[in-house]
Amino acid sequence: CAEFYKELYHMNLNNCSTLNDITDSNLRNSSPHLVFIYFYYFPHPHLINFSNPSLGNPLEIHLAMFLPTLLNQATPEQMDRFFTPSWDLEIIGTYAQTEMGHGTHLRGLETTATFDPATQEFVMHSPTVTSIKWWPGGLGKTSNHAIVLAQLYTQGKCHGLNAFIVPLRSMGTHMPLPGIVIGDIGPKFGFDAVDNGYLKLEHVRIPRENMLMKYAQVKPDGSYVKPLSSKLTYGTMVFIRSLIVGNAGIVLSQCCTIAIRYSAVRHQSEIRAGEAEPQILDYQTQQHKLFPLLATAYAFLFAGQYMIDTYNRISGDINQGDLSEMPELHALSAGLKAFTTWTANTGIEVCRMSCGGHGYSRSSALPDIYVEFTPSCTYEGENTVMMLQTARFLMKSYRQVQAGQQLSGAVSYLNKVHHRVMAPQAVSSQLDLNLNTLVDLYEIRAAMLVELAAQSIQQESARGKCQEDSWNNSTIDLVRASDAHCHYMVLKMFRDKVDQIEDPGVHSVMSTLAHLYAIHGMGNFTGDFLQAGVLTGAQVPSVSKCLKGLLAEVRPSAVLLVDAFDHHDKMLNSVLGRHDGNVYEAMFEWARSSPLNRTEVHESFHKHLKPLQAKL
């Protein structure tokens, strides 16, 4: 199965939107959930029906984290023991990392795994209330196994976090096994279909072979063989963060589809007295709300594709023993996870409000999308902490430049930090709209903010602050630097994608969207570009002028651009975002189907209102 799965990734399935579109019948019929996992892992605009984690189901963590962790960290012998039963859903797993008192700070996790050489077992234990595993999806009632991250103790020493496969429930009765205290954590803001759970381990013994030992090992005598890098244990998290980037684009594309389609149906007010009410999509303010988000959705989808391709390329290098690009992958996945989810989360609400009062109805699907997407800003790493992880990589890279080293990859722009050419201060009030030039401006902005953050740390140190306090007193600057770095990277990925488009018509439209994404960002962060010296005071009005021109340019293609996301009505589940535009008819039918309308007179009238009226 593992080899078949690996081969599956290399097959060209990008044009498949349903299982029936896969022409290889052997592949299609061999394992339907195998094909589903492929679709889930590698988001693509044509595969949204299969790759939308926002729907929520108890098997998500099994598919997205348990199985990939086995693939990435299990030995061949462990694959034989665990993978096939997991593939066939005999073993249903979850990924138990987060604890009640510890989340993103992984080194602070308290769960212990103590090796007992006399019995060749690990003793898994939750020593405190705060060490109880908390939040894993599917843990409450569905899973019968968990990959548990715990502090490994052997021969009297702690060797940090390692991953262990822990049976939770009887395979026959599904009852919790001895020492396992397990359950659901209760209602949440969303994800009603997911049984997020808790797990308290009370001296639970598991065989030595249940430690995932592809990279780190404990020998029968208790000696510890450390991995090439401790960060290899976190590979699943990096993978999920890479997926989240693409999913932010998917979710934002859904909301843009709903809001833009509805804006083409809804007519309201008058632009000129006495004339028919125009589509609200013709109002510039509506375009200003929605079209930059449309451009952002495309940008994030392209960024998601880039992240998955990069993850798989670097994972291949890691399997060959080359860890050189792992720090960059970790930093980029952390930063883009935060950057895209923050932006998408805000964008969902903008789309909802742009639909007026009807956007508040659950019939629009927008409220449900919001509550299901919101936790992505905190799961798999709280976003501010994610930005600071990226900042650590940026600061390290900056110090390397200071020491005379030449950088490559995503931070190579820092090589120019000391001798970059600033834009001339002011001769022309016209803004250069060449896409390559705009990417260069974002690069200079990012370099400036990285340099300012580094200078802030240096200044704090010069005042006598210790290293930790200097860092803490500079975190606002550090988050700004990471945000600018991510913004630059997304625009660069967008530009590179546009350059690959051969069709002249498609290239023109996508180039316009890329320009809109860049100019809208310049408008939002004008101060940064002024401070970097790449924008002059005389050019500021032209930013707004350019933005307005781009909105008008996108308007004729707006509905076609959301149709190109290819969201099926059944999956979108929105009366406002219907492809056929029959919004009001559908809304009326949706309302009539409400449970409160099953009877003409509700029982509450007889129980409460009628007795009250009799008293009056």
Side-chain angles (χ1 to χ4, degrees):
C1 286
E3 292 305 315
F4 187 51
Y5 168 84
K6 292 171 185 175
E7 290 180 15
L8 181 63
Y9 168 65
H10 297 290
M11 300 187 67
N12 181 18
L13 299 178
N14 285 349
N15 294 320
C16 303
S17 58
T18 70
L19 297 182
N20 291 330
D21 291 332
I22 300 174
T23 55
D24 186 336
S25 59
N26 291 328
L27 171 64
R28 184 175 67 246
N29 297 328
S30 61
S31 181
H33 56 278
L34 181 148
V35 180
F36 170 82
I37 290 174
Y38 172 85
F39 286 154
Y40 189 98
Y41 282 176
F42 305 101
H44 184 284
H46 295 298
L47 305 179
I48 290 168
N49 291 358
F50 293 91
S51 59
N52 182 4
S54 70
L55 294 176
N57 72 73
L59 292 179
E60 280 183 14
I61 301 301
H62 176 80
L63 297 172
M65 298 190 76
F66 189 82
L67 288 174
T69 303
L70 291 179
L71 285 167
N72 291 329
Q73 298 187 36
T75 64
E77 294 77 16
Q78 290 172 324
M79 288 291 289
D80 290 340
R81 278 182 62 204
F82 295 111
F83 192 84
T84 298
S86 299
W87 199 254
D88 294 333
L89 298 181
E90 295 172 15
I91 289 177
I92 299 175
T94 187
Y95 190 85
Q97 172 179 293
T98 301
E99 297 174 356
M100 188 185 293
H102 300 87
T104 308
H105 181 55
L106 297 183
R107 291 193 301 275
L109 294 178
E110 299 178 81
T111 302
T112 59
T114 305
F115 183 62
D116 180 356
T119 62
Q120 293 291 293
E121 293 174 317
F122 289 102
V123 181
M124 310 295 297
H125 186 55
S126 305
T128 64
V129 172
T130 52
S131 70
I132 296 172
K133 295 297 182 182
W134 200 267
W135 277 114
L139 175 61
K141 296 296 178 183
T142 304
S143 299
N144 52 33
H145 282 68
I147 291 174
V148 175
L149 263 68
Q151 303 287 355
L152 168 62
Y153 287 84
T154 182
Q155 297 182 337
K157 296 181 181 179
C158 179
H159 296 280
L161 287 181
N162 284 265
F164 303 84
I165 300 176
V166 180
L168 304 176
R169 295 176 178 273
S170 164
M171 299 293 282
T173 66
H174 207 61
M175 288 293 293
L177 295 172
I180 300 291
V181 180
I182 193 171
D184 185 88
I185 64 171
K188 308 167 291 287
F189 188 54
F191 270 76
D192 293 337
V194 180
D195 53 329
N196 297 87
Y198 61 79
L199 172 64
K200 186 174 187 290
L201 298 163
E202 298 180 337
H203 304 286
V204 175
R205 289 180 172 266
I206 62 172
R208 181 181 68 88
E209 293 79 11
N210 278 32
M211 173 184 169
L212 293 179
M213 293 195 191
K214 181 177 181 179
Y215 300 116
Q217 298 177 16
V218 171
K219 298 294 187 180
D221 64 357
S223 58
Y224 179 70
V225 180
K226 66 180 182 180
L228 292 174
S229 169
S230 61
K231 289 185 171 57
L232 289 170
T233 308
Y234 309 146
T236 301
M237 282 194 310
V238 174
F239 173 67
I240 293 299
R241 289 169 187 167
S242 299
L243 281 182
I244 289 173
V245 174
N247 187 57
I250 291 171
V251 170
L252 192 55
S253 72
Q254 292 173 326
C255 296
C256 286
T257 299
I258 294 168
I260 288 175
R261 283 179 177 174
Y262 175 64
S263 296
V265 170
R266 181 77 172 185
H267 293 255
Q268 190 163 303
S269 304
E270 298 175 342
I271 293 180
R272 287 176 290 273
E275 294 189 0
E277 292 181 301
Q279 298 168 310
I280 59 174
L281 199 56
D282 289 334
Y283 288 102
Q284 190 180 73
T285 49
Q286 190 77 345
Q287 296 171 9
H288 188 231
K289 293 175 187 175
L290 297 178
F291 292 173
L293 291 176
L294 173 62
T296 302
Y298 274 97
F300 288 179
L301 286 169
F302 297 148
Q305 292 173 0
Y306 173 89
M307 285 303 302
I308 291 300
D309 291 342
T310 302
Y311 175 86
N312 281 285
R313 176 178 60 80
I314 295 178
S315 292
D317 294 341
I318 290 172
N319 287 333
Q320 299 300 317
D322 180 3
L323 308 182
S324 59
E325 290 189 80
M326 191 168 66
E328 180 175 317
L329 175 63
H330 180 267
L332 189 58
S333 65
L336 286 182
K337 181 267 181 185
F339 180 78
T340 56
T341 55
W342 265 336
T343 303
N345 199 54
T346 301
I348 295 168
E349 182 65 358
V350 171
C351 287
R352 186 192 67 78
M353 289 191 290
S354 73
C355 293
H358 292 322
Y360 189 67
S361 169
R362 289 183 68 181
S363 68
S364 72
L366 293 167
D368 287 338
I369 292 175
Y370 181 81
V371 299
E372 300 293 351
F373 184 78
T374 291
S376 64
C377 294
T378 49
Y379 63 53
E380 297 309 313
E382 192 278 330
N383 277 359
T384 300
V385 178
M386 292 295 93
M387 282 297 194
L388 290 173
Q389 287 186 8
T390 302
R392 288 195 184 278
F393 177 74
L394 294 174
M395 293 301 101
K396 180 180 179 181
S397 300
Y398 179 83
R399 290 192 298 271
Q400 290 172 334
V401 169
Q402 293 284 86
Q405 296 183 38
Q406 281 290 112
L407 302 178
S408 60
V411 290
S412 59
Y413 64 88
L414 293 177
N415 293 325
K416 300 179 284 186
V417 73
H418 290 303
H419 53 269
R420 61 179 182 265
V421 180
M422 294 298 187
Q425 278 298 313
V427 208
S428 170
S429 61
Q430 297 301 310
L431 195 64
D432 186 351
L433 276 181
N434 181 279
L435 193 53
N436 291 327
T437 302
L438 292 173
V439 172
D440 289 342
L441 301 189
Y442 273 79
E443 177 185 280
I444 294 172
R445 172 200 173 217
M448 176 201 70
L449 289 174
V450 169
E451 187 170 37
L452 289 176
Q455 290 173 355
S456 174
I457 294 173
Q458 294 166 2
Q459 290 163 4
E460 290 292 325
S461 297
R463 296 189 186 102
K465 302 288 186 182
C466 66
Q467 182 179 354
E468 293 79 10
D469 288 342
S470 296
W471 176 272
N472 187 50
N473 293 343
S474 304
T475 48
I476 294 174
D477 302 293
L478 289 164
V479 170
R480 286 183 66 205
S482 293
D483 187 84
H485 172 72
C486 293
H487 207 160
Y488 157 69
M489 287 299 298
V490 171
L491 178 60
K492 183 175 180 293
M493 294 171 196
F494 204 163
R495 188 273 312 271
D496 293 345
K497 193 70 175 181
V498 170
D499 288 345
Q500 297 170 12
I501 299 173
E502 297 180 358
D503 183 277
V506 176
H507 183 277
S508 175
V509 173
M510 297 311 298
S511 178
T512 299
L513 283 182
H515 279 88
L516 177 58
Y517 180 75
I519 294 298
H520 184 257
M522 291 188 73
N524 286 344
F525 298 99
T526 300
D528 289 349
F529 290 95
L530 286 169
Q531 188 176 3
V534 297
L535 185 66
T536 69
Q539 289 174 329
V540 170
S542 67
V543 174
S544 177
K545 182 179 178 181
C546 289
L547 178 64
K548 293 175 183 176
L550 289 166
L551 295 177
E553 199 172 333
V554 170
R555 171 63 183 94
S557 306
V559 175
L560 295 174
L561 283 166
V562 296
D563 285 351
F565 291 133
D566 199 22
H567 292 298
H568 194 281
D569 281 351
K570 289 183 179 179
M571 299 304 296
L572 206 56
N573 197 29
S574 170
V575 300
L576 301 189
R578 293 171 59 93
H579 185 266
D580 61 13
N582 294 327
V583 168
Y584 300 119
E585 296 88 342
M587 190 181 300
F588 185 48
E589 288 303 313
W590 188 89
R592 292 185 68 184
S593 67
S594 169
L596 285 176
N597 293 325
R598 290 174 184 166
T599 59
E600 292 296 335
V601 179
H602 192 261
E603 61 181 357
S604 61
F605 172 78
H606 300 287
K607 286 183 178 181
H608 305 293
L609 291 180
K610 191 172 182 179
L612 180 62
Q613 291 172 346
K615 291 180 182 179
L616 296 177

